[in-house]
Amino acid sequence: MWKLTRPDNQHDKLVRDNLLDLEDHRLVRIETVREDQRQVWVLTKRGHGEARKLLEPKGIRVSALREEKYDPVTGELLGAGYDDHSAAVTTTAAELHRAGIGHRLGFQTEIGHRFADGYVQRADLVVRAPEAGVSVLLLEIDRRSEDAHDLVTKLRRYWEWGRLLPRDADKRTVDLVRSRPGAIEDVEHEQRLWRRVYPPTGREGLVPLAFVFADTTEAKVANTVAVLEEAGRRFWAPRRYETYYREAITAKDYSQAVPVVFTTLEQLTEHGADAAVWRRLGRADEQTLTDALDNPDGDALYRRQYARAEAEDERRRAAEREAQRPVCKRCGRKFTDQRWEETTARTAWKAGDLSVCGPCHADDVARKEAAAEAARLQAATPPELEHGGQEPGKLRGLFRRRG
């Protein structure tokens, strides 16, 4: 707590005085003394209960109680388990907090991620720092006490946990996931278990994971990272987008990947957690934490490239269609879209001469209509009137009246 709450204070007298006061009230106890003679204090059972009453109503989870265990023969206190690894976890949290990444009450240790078979993958440290652009980050602190392939296994488990459904998932979704391998990728993240536990990350992919290496050499870190990049590629690496415009799209699909970054505790201590000391698996350069977690070649680039490719494809198809547009055999004009459609539709037999454009076809129709009207009028006119004669009956009547 001293490292976390007062990281820049070289003197811990104030903290010690407060701990001694808490000890008088049987709320804390000394668990062990480190090699540098610093005392490690933990909550007693009573103190753990008081902490839960104080913090859990505020949504702050309290770590498990470290119970006092004594040797049945000697009566000596056992289980002084606060080791160098725990110290490295605390120091990592302190360095993140000192850099403004995470409120002091926004850190949790030993957070379990439970699988259907009952196995629990525990993260050494979880930080939530939305104000710093990191909604949530899982951290594994490694003092090279674990084989590199063990870290790959941890990465795989976090990836698998991010693909689980909650117990109350609707039946259609459950049946879909059971229907075929990889069907979970068709299920939105909002419907998965991890979104019940953590807030949205604001980026593509699953919950980001950070490896912090401590008390080791650059060569060992490099070897470990090489194993993570190669053996863990399926879990951290993005994929190509499945799209019709494959050649025009260079963006990568991070939606099913675990963003993995790493650094060393020495770099955090020397330069600060807000400096360019983080490297993303698959990238060559060190970046700030937020830059390392961002995906400049991800979804945003994909949308831009897809829009450009779609527009270019529309221009190409329009040009190809224009090149195929028929030309009138009579006047040389290009067909309009309407005339083109008339001559290619199922009712093209009604379109007249298919080799002429709309205006020429209209002229043909007008001529045919004029000829038809002239023929109708001619058929309706008697032959005598047509040659200028008069009706025979009228002439005979005239002659009779004169006689």
Side-chain angles (χ1 to χ4, degrees):
M1 290 298 294
W2 171 55
K3 283 181 173 292
L4 184 60
T5 58
R6 306 181 70 84
D8 296 317
N9 193 335
Q10 301 300 316
H11 304 286
D12 60 353
K13 185 178 184 303
L14 178 62
V15 175
R16 284 169 48 208
D17 289 344
N18 281 281
L19 287 172
L20 290 172
D21 183 54
L22 292 171
E23 184 182 33
D24 290 340
H25 290 79
R26 293 180 296 168
L27 298 176
V28 299
R29 63 179 176 82
I30 298 175
E31 180 172 277
T32 187
V33 179
R34 300 186 64 199
E35 293 181 358
D36 59 4
Q37 299 305 306
R38 292 192 182 277
Q39 297 170 332
V40 177
W41 296 72
V42 298
L43 292 170
T44 63
K45 185 175 182 179
R46 178 180 176 183
H48 190 267
E50 292 294 327
R52 291 183 61 181
K53 292 179 183 179
L54 177 65
L55 298 177
E56 289 189 351
K58 300 178 180 179
I60 302 170
R61 184 176 174 182
V62 181
S63 60
L65 172 67
R66 301 178 72 87
E67 297 182 358
E68 295 180 88
K69 297 181 180 180
Y70 296 89
D71 188 292
V73 178
T74 64
E76 294 182 357
L77 180 65
L78 300 175
Y82 189 92
D83 54 12
D84 290 334
H85 176 267
S86 299
V89 172
T90 304
T91 303
T92 299
E95 292 301 331
L96 289 168
H97 175 60
R98 185 163 67 95
I101 303 174
H103 187 270
R104 61 174 60 95
L105 295 179
F107 294 93
Q108 294 175 298
T109 59
E110 294 297 317
I111 298 302
H113 302 82
R114 186 176 297 276
F115 290 81
D117 60 2
Y119 182 84
V120 178
Q121 175 65 54
R122 297 190 179 278
D124 290 331
L125 183 65
V126 176
V127 58
R128 303 183 189 217
E131 70 287 345
V134 183
S135 297
V136 59
L137 179 66
L138 311 182
L139 293 104
E140 289 289 337
I141 316 302
D142 179 36
R143 298 184 63 254
R144 294 305 298 119
S145 57
E146 297 182 88
D147 183 78
H149 288 281
D150 292 336
L151 301 185
V152 174
T153 300
K154 285 187 175 183
L155 170 57
R156 173 180 60 79
R157 286 173 180 156
Y158 285 120
W159 178 77
E160 291 175 344
W161 185 78
R163 295 163 70 87
L164 295 178
L165 292 175
R167 290 184 178 180
D168 60 351
D170 64 89
K171 186 177 183 301
R172 288 186 59 187
T173 304
V174 173
D175 291 343
L176 171 66
V177 171
R178 289 176 177 173
S179 65
R180 57 183 171 82
I184 185 63
E185 296 179 5
D186 297 327
V187 178
E188 295 181 358
H189 289 282
E190 292 295 324
Q191 300 180 49
R192 301 190 194 181
L193 172 63
W194 78 265
R195 280 294 287 109
R196 301 283 186 89
V197 181
Y198 297 118
T201 65
R203 302 174 175 88
E204 307 100 290
L206 304 174
V207 184
L209 174 65
F211 288 102
V212 178
F213 301 103
D215 303 324
T216 186
T217 63
E218 291 184 7
K220 289 182 178 180
V221 171
N223 291 336
T224 301
V225 170
V227 173
L228 281 169
E229 287 189 323
E230 183 62 29
R233 179 170 297 277
R234 179 185 178 186
F235 315 119
W236 65 261
R239 308 172 184 177
R240 292 200 65 174
Y241 274 100
E242 295 296 331
T243 173
Y244 174 76
Y245 307 113
R246 191 175 179 86
E247 295 183 359
I249 303 297
T250 62
K252 300 174 182 178
D253 182 2
Y254 290 87
S255 62
Q256 305 303 319
V258 176
V260 181
V261 298
F262 67 90
T263 188
T264 66
L265 186 54
E266 289 74 19
Q267 285 181 299
L268 294 180
T269 303
E270 181 179 357
H271 304 290
D274 56 344
V277 296
W278 303 86
R279 185 158 80 81
R280 175 87 168 258
L281 289 189
R283 299 180 188 175
D285 300 324
E286 293 179 329
Q287 301 173 286
T288 63
L289 180 57
T290 51
D291 286 345
L293 293 175
D294 286 341
N295 303 310
D297 57 346
D299 181 63
L301 177 62
Y302 170 74
R303 291 195 299 269
R304 294 195 300 270
Q305 290 183 332
Y306 188 90
R308 287 198 297 267
E310 191 173 43
E312 180 59 34
D313 188 53
E314 289 181 0
R315 286 193 293 269
R316 178 187 59 77
R317 285 187 279 110
E320 290 177 353
R321 174 177 170 79
E322 195 61 30
Q324 297 172 0
R325 186 181 295 275
V327 176
C328 181
K329 298 296 180 62
R330 188 178 302 166
C331 69
R333 286 180 293 192
K334 289 185 176 182
F335 282 27
T336 62
D337 288 343
Q338 180 180 354
R339 177 58 179 168
W340 194 358
E341 183 177 355
E342 289 174 355
T343 59
T344 55
R346 290 183 179 181
T347 56
W349 58 274
K350 299 180 180 180
D353 186 351
L354 303 183
S355 67
V356 300
C357 64
C360 290
H361 172 63
D363 291 344
D364 289 346
V365 172
R367 282 195 296 272
K368 288 181 180 179
E369 290 178 348
E373 178 65 15
R376 184 186 67 78
L377 292 175
Q378 183 177 4
T381 304
E384 294 82 354
L385 293 179
E386 184 177 343
H387 293 86
Q390 295 184 2
E391 294 183 15
K394 290 184 177 181
L395 292 174
R396 285 194 298 268
L398 179 61
F399 293 147
R400 281 195 298 268
R401 284 195 297 271
R402 287 181 178 180

